[in-house]
Amino acid sequence: MADMDSNVSIENEEQLWTELDKVVSTQCHAEAHETIDDALRSWLYLASRCRDEFSQSDDDVLNCSQSLLDGSLFHTDPEYVRTQIIYSLLQEDEAGPLHVIASFLLLDGRVEEATFKRMVEEGCFHRLLDLINERREDDPGLHRMLLELMYEMSRIEQLRLEDLLHVDDGFVTYLFQLIEGLSDDAHDPYHYPIIRVLLVLNEQYMVASTAVMNDPASPLAPLTNRVIKCLSLYGPHYRTFGENIILLLNRETETSLQLLILKLLYLLFTTRATYEYFYTNDLRVLLDVIIRNLLDLPNELMALRHTYLRVLYPLLAHTQLNQPPHYKKDEIQKLLKILGGSGNTHFAPVDETTLRLVDRASKVKWLHEEGIGAGEVARKFIGISLSHKDVASNVSVVDVAAVTEKPGVKTPSRKAEAEAKAEDETRTTDDISSLGTGEARVSSESNEARELSKLSETKEAPKASRPKKPLPEVPKHRHGIPYVHTGHENGTKSSGKKAPPKAPPPRRRGRIKHHTTTSETVKSISELV
């Protein structure tokens, strides 16, 4: 489709976008397939030139694809346009057109899931597998786009058995090596597209294995999960992948991606060769994440809670966490009591599956002594009795593989909902307060206006000035006791007597006059002091 004879000379980017808008705006009848084909060739040619000559980032290629999705050319006959572009993916070899085609299918498939289903039916998975292997070093942008397209297509639609048989050990090992080679840069755009492809391949293997077990007509040889096989044989060489999926689980809010990670963790912790794939510190971080998420999940997300509990048991029983010193033992026991309904008033009544899974986790050897079983919880706090069959765990690969969720659905959070509710209440209170303040301000302004009007009316009438009051007299004594002046002090006239010294003179018994009154003596002493 990329080969075309164009008489239009493109000299700058502005001219290119102008011509591109004209092409995607082509209007014709749905039966005019030749006109649609010519317009699609022109669009692919212009979009490829934009990528090779004028593009500043991958967003420019996506904008070219989005312009086709929004234009009248696509809406004339969407199914025919999709079919032509899918066939172009199967036949095209040049990097520029392949990048444009992959970006269009990626955008279209995210909106219309039937596009990915059609791609699987047409054998696009095998084609993507070959392209990813062939374009290892040629074009990093195209390589990343092909990985993203493979991931989105594989998580929406179940792959055929012949598609999975095309995945060999070399391809899976190559992806692990890419992650290990990019381990120095955690923000490298390659990291998560590659990790997501490995996660979705693992899920496809799990689903295929359960389908084989349930189908009597299936071949006797089981399908090998090559992701687990690679980690079983060469796990110590690819620990960066393990660190990244724990980090991703800690940050991810999309339910479907959480389930992909949990499914892989379940297989790693139930496969003897990968019991100790993770570092001990990474396992402790993982345990913290699981405890936090289990307590934060709303009541209605039972399937996700069951999957977390199914991962928790082998994590505690089979990994290095079963060795002393036991990490977060008290917190784990409290978690199991809460999830089992022991003394809990904030959670909904516990379902029997949760009780079985809680009982299974509480019977881990190093928790069992102080743990609490589901049967005891049910009998004491819920009022029901569980048989031995009900208390026993029915965990299997089938249960874990069957849990799915639509892409893009975010996992609700108890904490986030509580914070949002508190924020709404605070905002409502602030609005009411600001309303009251506004009314008070208006009232105050009206009062001020009335006062100003009164002042303006009486402005011309002069007011008599009030006489100033004399300042109060300062007491002569420092303690404020009024001083009564008398004509005699200490029996003598004050006119000829000098001021007494600051310190009293030494006592002389013979010279003390007995006729001095008590009040006068007190006054003299106070003056001396």
Side-chain angles (χ1 to χ4, degrees), residues 24 29 57 61 70 100 116 148 164 254-255 275 277-278 285 292-293 346 350 358 413 454 460 493 518:
V24 298
H29 296 289
S57 66
V61 179
D70 297 335
V100 176
F116 291 143
E148 291 181 359
L164 289 176
E254 187 178 354
T255 305
Y275 281 175
Y277 165 66
F278 293 93
V285 173
R292 182 199 65 195
N293 290 351
H346 300 286
V350 185
V358 167
S413 168
K454 291 180 181 179
E460 297 180 355
K493 293 183 179 180
T518 304

Side-chain angles (χ1 to χ4, degrees), residues 255-288:
T255 305
S256 62
L257 191 51
Q258 289 186 51
L259 289 171
L260 289 179
I261 298 172
L262 292 173
K263 290 175 182 180
L264 178 63
L265 292 175
Y266 174 80
L267 288 184
L268 291 176
F269 297 147
T270 54
T271 303
R272 185 175 298 275
T274 54
Y275 281 175
E276 299 185 1
Y277 165 66
F278 293 93
Y279 291 113
T280 303
N281 287 339
D282 293 338
L283 292 175
R284 292 175 176 176
V285 173
L286 175 61
L287 179 59
D288 290 336

Side-chain angles (χ1 to χ4, degrees), residues 450-464:
R450 286 195 295 269
E451 294 295 332
L452 288 175
S453 63
K454 291 180 181 179
L455 289 176
S456 61
E457 293 175 358
T458 60
K459 184 177 181 181
E460 297 180 355
K463 293 183 178 181

Side-chain angles (χ1 to χ4, degrees), residues 223-257:
L223 186 65
T224 302
N225 187 332
R226 300 194 181 276
V227 177
I228 300 299
K229 176 184 177 182
C230 184
L231 292 177
S232 299
L233 297 176
Y234 313 109
H237 300 289
Y238 305 128
R239 293 190 188 273
T240 302
F241 171 76
E243 297 170 0
N244 276 272
I245 62 174
I246 293 177
L247 180 64
L248 193 60
L249 181 64
N250 184 36
R251 297 176 177 177
E252 190 55 49
T253 59
E254 187 178 354
T255 305
S256 62
L257 191 51

Side-chain angles (χ1 to χ4, degrees), residues 180-361:
E180 200 67 28
L182 300 168
S183 60
D184 295 335
D185 185 4
H187 301 286
D188 190 281
Y190 265 133
H191 257 91
Y192 292 129
I194 301 171
I195 291 172
R196 287 194 288 260
V197 168
L198 289 169
L199 291 174
V200 79
L201 283 178
N202 174 73
E203 183 189 46
Q204 289 287 345
Y205 281 122
M206 294 181 70
V207 173
S209 64
T210 57
V212 168
M213 288 187 296
N214 296 329
D215 185 7
S218 62
L220 298 178
L223 186 65
T224 302
N225 187 332
R226 300 194 181 276
V227 177
I228 300 299
K229 176 184 177 182
C230 184
L231 292 177
S232 299
L233 297 176
Y234 313 109
H237 300 289
Y238 305 128
R239 293 190 188 273
T240 302
F241 171 76
E243 297 170 0
N244 276 272
I245 62 174
I246 293 177
L247 180 64
L248 193 60
L249 181 64
N250 184 36
R251 297 176 177 177
E252 190 55 49
T253 59
E254 187 178 354
T255 305
S256 62
L257 191 51
Q258 289 186 51
L259 289 171
L260 289 179
I261 298 172
L262 292 173
K263 290 175 182 180
L264 178 63
L265 292 175
Y266 174 80
L267 288 184
L268 291 176
F269 297 147
T270 54
T271 303
R272 185 175 298 275
T274 54
Y275 281 175
E276 299 185 1
Y277 165 66
F278 293 93
Y279 291 113
T280 303
N281 287 339
D282 293 338
L283 292 175
R284 292 175 176 176
V285 173
L286 175 61
L287 179 59
D288 290 336
V289 173
I290 291 177
I291 292 175
R292 182 199 65 195
N293 290 351
L294 278 172
L295 292 175
D296 197 39
L297 285 178
N299 296 326
E300 60 270 16
L301 296 182
M302 288 189 295
L304 185 57
R305 180 181 296 106
H306 294 164
T307 308
Y308 269 107
L309 286 172
R310 289 185 170 107
V311 173
L312 179 63
Y313 168 71
L315 170 65
L316 300 177
H318 299 157
T319 67
Q320 302 95 297
L321 294 182
N322 62 15
Q323 301 298 321
H326 297 124
Y327 183 70
K328 293 290 181 75
K329 179 177 181 179
D330 294 339
E331 287 80 355
I332 297 169
Q333 292 174 346
K334 292 177 182 177
L335 169 71
L336 296 176
K337 289 180 180 179
I338 291 174
L339 295 179
S342 175
N344 173 42
T345 59
H346 300 286
F347 288 76
V350 185
D351 59 289
E352 293 187 5
T353 302
T354 300
L355 287 176
R356 289 196 300 268
L357 297 173
V358 167
D359 178 72
R360 180 179 175 87

